[in-house]
Amino acid sequence: MRQARADEYAEFAVARAGHLYRSACLLTAGDTHLAEDLVQETLGRIYVRWGRMSRVGNPAGYAQTVLTRAFLAHQRRRSSTERATDALPDRAAEGSDLSLRLTLLQALARLPAKDRAVVVLRYWEDRSVEETAEVLNASSAAVRTRCSRALGRLRELLGEDLGEYVAS
């Protein structure tokens, strides 16, 4: 019985880790090391509760909620704003949309943590206002307001025309 649960968890973790990592990268505005830490923390928390996961209707959605809450908890810590200066930058990804990705990540990084979480949940995770409100423990009106302000701030940071960043 225990081995079957462990195998079930391992299968879930392998299937969801990539998606969780991509979401965490967006939440952290490209900080891949923090994203990896958040994914590990999320998978660890889910492992501890895996025996009770049968009561959760959507384990993947639950994992995204745990990830978002772990990110917000990390942002509340005073040490979350520390940045290493001796680290070499990661290699650039291959592809034609590199400048667009970098620009978007830089703009996301300039948003407050909760605004970033709302944008990622609403537009990357494609969640409804109500689902986003539930994850963030906020009202639907607060999510709509925060989303509107965050998108306005992104428009200010990015300009109205992103066409210059997209390869023809």
Side-chain angles (χ1 to χ4, degrees), residues 4-14 42-44 46-48 50:
R5 262 193 243 158
D7 291 343
E8 191 177 283
Y9 169 78
E11 184 179 320
F12 171 82
V14 167
T42 298
L43 292 174
I46 290 173
Y47 179 75
V48 169
W50 190 253

Side-chain angles (χ1 to χ4, degrees), residues 136-159:
L136 298 175
N137 289 328
S139 69
S140 295
V143 168
R144 284 190 293 272
T145 300
R146 189 172 289 279
C147 190
S148 175
R149 289 181 183 163
L151 290 176
R153 178 71 177 134
L154 284 174
R155 283 186 194 101
E156 287 175 16
L157 294 169
L158 298 172

